[in-house]
Amino acid sequence: MNPSASPSFSVVPGAQILEAVSGKEEKVTRIVEYAYRLHGEGRTVNPDSYFLAFPDRPSSRIIALPASVQGEVDVHGMKWISSFPENVAEGIPRASAVLILNDVRTGYPFACMESSVISAARTAASAALAAVELSKRRGSRPARVGFVGTGLIARYIHTYLAANGFAFDELGIHDLSAEHAAGFRGCLERTADGRVTVHSTAESLIKSSDLIVFATVAGAPHVSDPAWFAHNPLVLHVSLRDLSPEIVLASHNITDDVEHCMKANTSLHLTEQRVGNRDFVAGTLFDVLTGQADCPPGLPAIFSPFGLGVLDLAVAKYIYDQIDGEGALQTVPDFFSEMKRYG
């Protein structure tokens, strides 16, 4: 926003955002990596997420993620994202979101952006970045991937894994809904070269996968046997609440922010409550990126990202700048009306 001009306000719809990120998976991954580095260097502000819960709808929630990012991003803002799992039965996506960008000098909001695509893209980029870096340190890339949960996030993660150089001989699917599993199978068969298999149990999928992606809406651990992970796979625990403390304690654990992950009954939070310490966490993705944390191949490796608002802001600002540079912003005239202090 130009400080010498009257504040402007733009609305950026999902169609523009989808166009801005499609085919740009490698670029978005680098933006997410840059945001992680800024966060690790203390050049961000990322307060706790705020959860709006509903006594009459315990499975649903709306979350506010305020944040500020310095560096080349240089923006404040907040994502407001809802998760209503019952939506899926009604034929609409579980999650919906908007994101507000604020000018760092004046504090004025200058854009409202549809954010379900931004959220999915930054989540998938984070997972793919972790898969690349942890695989590198484990000395091999996985050839068999398995997805537990088959929604939008799973689809985006597969797209971002492929864009970051992963090619799989076998792709496994497990979902509680046979219809959703079949839909995701069709998606993978159109976009992947490997053999696609639908597994009737999580155990079967886990035991036959080198890389496992958990992208469910689970509110409590439903996988509890460490023996299922005896082959030491790499696990992208994106949905955060699938694994029991027994599995966490038997694994090498990396997160994006230790403090943020130790809340809201995530698997890491439950483990901390069980043992009374955080010694089971080896470090953060920033530690991995900067060589401060290793990833030994002799244990299952679990990446548990809480999902930082700074990632959303970094991706959103990139998209905003792209659309602005094309002269395609949809500005709302006179959005701010009381601009004279005394009328």
Side-chain angles (χ1 to χ4, degrees), residues 263-336:
K263 59 175 65 71
N265 290 325
T266 65
S267 293
L268 294 186
H269 187 205
L270 295 177
T271 304
E272 180 190 32
Q273 293 174 330
R274 170 82 63 87
V275 301
N277 61 62
R278 300 175 176 181
D279 296 345
F280 55 88
V281 177
T284 67
L285 186 53
F286 173 76
D287 295 330
V288 174
L289 288 167
T290 56
Q292 300 176 65
D294 208 346
C295 190
L299 288 172
I302 303 175
F303 176 58
S304 299
F306 194 77
L308 302 174
V310 297
L311 307 182
D312 295 283
L313 291 194
V315 174
K317 186 58 163 47
Y318 162 74
I319 293 169
Y320 176 89
D321 288 343
Q322 293 293 110
I323 296 172
D324 185 27
E326 297 166 359
L329 286 175
Q330 301 180 34
T331 302
V332 180
D334 301 320
F335 185 82
F336 301 105

Side-chain angles (χ1 to χ4, degrees), residues 14-188:
Q16 281 188 305
I17 292 168
L18 184 59
E19 182 179 358
V21 299
S22 294
K24 306 285 198 327
E25 291 84 8
E26 286 186 86
K27 176 64 175 179
V28 173
T29 304
R30 299 286 72 77
I31 290 167
V32 165
E33 178 182 354
Y34 178 59
Y36 272 132
R37 290 182 182 275
L38 289 174
H39 185 65
E41 293 166 1
R43 301 176 66 192
T44 66
V45 180
N46 201 108
D48 287 344
S49 301
Y50 298 92
F51 290 75
L52 177 62
F54 311 99
D56 59 330
R57 301 189 65 158
S59 65
S60 300
R61 61 186 185 269
I62 307 179
I63 310 171
L65 290 83
S68 175
V69 188
Q70 297 178 11
E72 295 178 9
V73 181
D74 199 29
V75 75
H76 310 315
M78 184 178 76
K79 181 173 73 171
W80 180 241
I81 182 166
S82 68
S83 175
F84 280 53
E86 292 81 2
N87 285 354
V88 176
E90 302 297 324
I92 59 176
R94 169 189 62 84
S96 59
V98 294
L99 187 146
I100 300 293
L101 293 178
N102 293 77
D103 182 73
V104 294
R105 192 185 72 86
T106 67
Y108 268 82
F110 61 88
C112 176
M113 309 175 70
E114 196 283 330
S115 195
S116 65
V117 172
I118 294 172
S119 188
R122 67 84 152 149
T123 299
S126 168
L129 175 64
V132 168
E133 296 299 326
L134 294 175
S135 294
K136 188 187 304 180
R137 281 149 185 81
R138 285 160 62 90
S140 64
R141 280 210 169 188
R144 305 175 299 167
V145 65
F147 294 88
V148 182
T150 59
L152 178 74
I153 298 299
R155 173 162 62 88
Y156 266 72
I157 289 175
H158 174 258
T159 299
Y160 273 74
L161 287 171
N164 279 276
F166 286 90
F168 301 105
D169 299 327
E170 298 182 24
L171 302 95
I173 297 169
H174 173 68
D175 196 287
L176 296 179
S177 165
E179 178 185 359
H180 297 161
F184 191 47
R185 177 176 188 166
C187 174
L188 292 180

